[in-house]
Structures are given as structure tokens and as C-alpha cells.
Amino acid sequence: MKEVNVIDLFILLIMAVFSVVGSYNGAVLSAFKAVSFVIAWLLSLIFYPLISKLLTSVIPNFLMVISHYADGSSRIPDINSVNMPLSSFSSMQIKQIVNQAQIPNPFSRILISSFGSAGKSITLAEYFDTTVAIVIINIASLLLLFLALRFLLSAGISVFRTVKDIPVLDKYDSLVGAGIGVLRGFFAAHFLFALVPIMITVAPIDLITELMDSSLLSGIFYKANMFTLFIR
């Protein structure tokens, strides 16, 4: 049953904080910051695969270390199938195993969609471990690149403010700024909730899963997350 819980209160708190900041900054500056978020988001979606490749090529055994600590194969429900070769499973069986494992998206989606292109000489455990690790690296690369781009764009906005005065609306400047602040809070909540699938997959805690499932608002930011939805 859906009900207001601590997750919803946390989301509303984020919205409220950004609304207050937006009211203080005014409409135009808040709009600049909101646009910078969208630009950083779009660029990070385009270029995050390059960051992932850079991390795995520059840092020796990076994928292996993430694979070891993420331990995706521990989510496989049938321990007898863990060491079976991947070639012995059909795509329908993989889908059933993933569903039984109750792994959140984007992990479950990619485990199912990547089966056809995976090397069939590996075991089911190796497939789960490697795929989960790759998805974690991709999510981390996307979020880190987004933060870096947001920092650069924010620095650019700050320089622009020192060179030229930011215009102020004649009416309702604070009110419009507060509204744009709520939009920025919406974006910020999506960023934070992009980390939830990693938490649930790597360290499955029933309480977190129950809170996410019963929350009224979490589905907007968790199941339809604007970051993890585009991870591949």
C-alpha cells in the first residue's frame, strides 16, 4: 500500500530547500542554473561511455575489483545454477532468473538485454558479476561527469555574474525563482535517486526496498530515473 513515508518527506525537503534558494536567487539566475543542469545532463548522457572506458583502461583490474565487491552473482536464487555455463540457458530462462533475483533497473534490464551478446563460454555467475560491475561503473561515470560539467557551468555563470548584472523581473521575481527552484529540486532528486539501484544491488537491505516500494513519490525518481533510464 502506497503511503507517505520518510522517502517522500526527504523528497519534499529537497524541493523546499531548492525553492527557497530559487526565491533568493531570483527568476533569471535560477533559470540559468536549471538550463545548466539540462545541458550537463545531456552532455553526460552522450559522453559517459568514454569515461567508463577511461576508468577501466587506466586503472588496472578496476572491473575485477568492482565485480568482486559488488558480487552480483550472490543475487542468483538457485545456487545450483551459479557455476553452469551461460550457453546452457535460454533468454527466457535468464529473464526468469533475473526476475526471481529481484534486481532493480537498470541492472535487471541490462542483464536481460545483454544476454544475446555475452560470451557463452563464461558461467552464469561470471555473467552476473561482470554485468553488474559494468553497470555500476557506467552509473558512476555518468554521475561523476555530470557533476564535473555542472561545476564548470556553474563557474561560468558565476563569472558572468561578476562581469554583467543579472536582470531582475519587474514582478514576481522571487515567486518565479521559487518555482524554478522546485524544478531544480526535481532534477536534484533524480540525481540522488540514481544511486539507489547500486545501494539495493550491492547491499540489499529490506527496509530500503520496502520504503521505496511503499513511497508515493519514489517511483517518479527511482523507477523512471532520468539518469539510470538511459544507462546501457
Side-chain angles (χ1 to χ4, degrees):
M1 180 179 177
K2 300 287 186 179
E3 58 183 13
V4 176
N5 61 25
V6 67
I7 301 294
D8 299 296
L9 296 177
F10 176 67
I11 293 170
L12 293 175
L13 177 62
I14 292 174
M15 302 291 188
V17 169
F18 274 87
S19 178
V20 171
V21 173
S23 177
Y24 174 79
N25 287 334
V28 177
L29 180 57
S30 296
F32 281 163
K33 289 181 177 292
V35 170
S36 73
F37 185 105
V38 175
I39 292 173
W41 173 67
L42 289 172
L43 290 176
S44 60
L45 287 178
I46 294 171
F47 294 109
Y48 84 84
L50 298 178
I51 304 300
S52 297
K53 289 180 180 178
L54 182 65
L55 288 173
T56 53
S57 61
V58 171
I59 305 175
N61 300 323
F62 185 59
L63 179 61
M64 186 182 301
V65 171
I66 299 297
S67 175
H68 172 74
Y69 284 103
D71 196 19
S73 59
S74 65
R75 302 296 297 269
I76 299 173
D78 183 10
I79 59 174
N80 294 320
S81 63
V82 168
N83 293 317
M84 292 176 61
L86 195 62
S87 57
S88 61
F89 297 92
S90 66
S91 58
M92 188 62 66
Q93 288 174 315
I94 291 296
K95 184 175 181 179
Q96 184 178 11
I97 291 171
V98 171
N99 290 336
Q100 290 175 347
Q102 296 182 332
I103 301 176
N105 275 322
F107 295 96
S108 59
R109 168 172 55 82
I110 295 173
L111 279 165
I112 294 170
S113 63
S114 298
F115 172 71
S117 58
K120 298 302 185 288
S121 60
I122 62 175
T123 65
L124 181 64
E126 289 170 336
Y127 175 64
F128 265 68
D129 286 339
T130 303
T131 305
V132 167
I134 290 172
V135 174
I136 289 175
I137 293 171
N138 284 342
I139 294 175
S141 298
L142 174 60
L143 297 181
L144 288 172
L145 179 57
F146 170 79
L147 284 177
L149 290 170
R150 278 285 291 120
F151 175 80
L152 291 174
L153 290 170
S154 295
I157 292 173
S158 297
V159 170
F160 178 77
R161 289 178 65 188
T162 60
V163 174
K164 190 172 183 179
D165 292 334
I166 299 292
V168 178
L169 298 181
D170 293 334
K171 292 183 178 180
Y172 311 117
D173 185 70
S174 294
L175 183 61
V176 174
I180 298 174
V182 171
L183 179 63
R184 291 182 59 217
F186 178 84
F187 292 152
H190 270 277
F191 176 86
L192 294 174
F193 274 78
L195 297 169
V196 174
I198 298 178
M199 293 171 54
I200 293 178
T201 302
V202 174
I205 300 174
D206 292 338
L207 177 61
I208 296 178
T209 304
E210 291 171 4
L211 286 172
M212 298 299 295
D213 289 339
S214 63
S215 167
L216 287 172
L217 300 175
S218 66
I220 301 172
F221 304 98
Y222 171 50
K223 295 181 180 178
N225 188 272
M226 63 188 297
F227 289 94
T228 61
L229 196 63
F230 298 97
I231 290 291
R232 56 189 185 273

